[in-house]
Amino acid sequence: MSASERGPVGGLSKRERSVGELLLDGLTQREIGARLRQKLAASNRAEFVACLWDKVARRWPEGRGLSMFANALAVCDTR
């Protein structure tokens, strides 16, 4: 494993650098989100949030993930 894969370089993790590269390539946050949604095969925003919950939020400390999930669903209900 290379040094850049092991940990933060210049204060950014490998994943943060990847997102930064997408932004520098001219993609908007919406376009980056659309790519994620497509990769998760989510047909709508609520399904996208549920997929993210399943793959990401369950790993968070107890309480944080659940409150963020509830907030995300509230946003889905308003769109």
Side-chain angles (χ1 to χ4, degrees):
M1 182 170 14
S2 71
S4 64
E5 293 171 328
R6 275 187 249 130
V9 174
L12 298 176
S13 69
K14 180 181 177 185
R15 182 66 194 130
E16 290 165 334
R17 286 190 310 275
S18 296
V19 172
E21 288 173 8
L22 293 172
L23 290 168
L24 290 174
D25 284 342
L27 274 71
T28 65
Q29 291 178 3
R30 182 175 291 219
E31 291 167 330
I32 294 169
R35 283 187 177 193
L36 287 174
R37 187 170 143 181
Q38 183 178 13
K39 282 188 174 190
L40 294 172
S43 59
N44 57 52
R45 186 174 173 83
E47 191 175 321
F48 178 47
V49 170
C51 288
L52 287 174
W53 169 256
D54 187 53
K55 300 200 179 297
V56 178
R58 291 182 190 269
R59 298 183 186 130
W60 290 340
E62 188 174 335
R64 177 175 177 229
L66 187 57
S67 65
M68 291 187 78
F69 181 64
N71 290 341
L73 286 179
V75 169
C76 289
D77 289 340
T78 63
R79 292 188 178 186

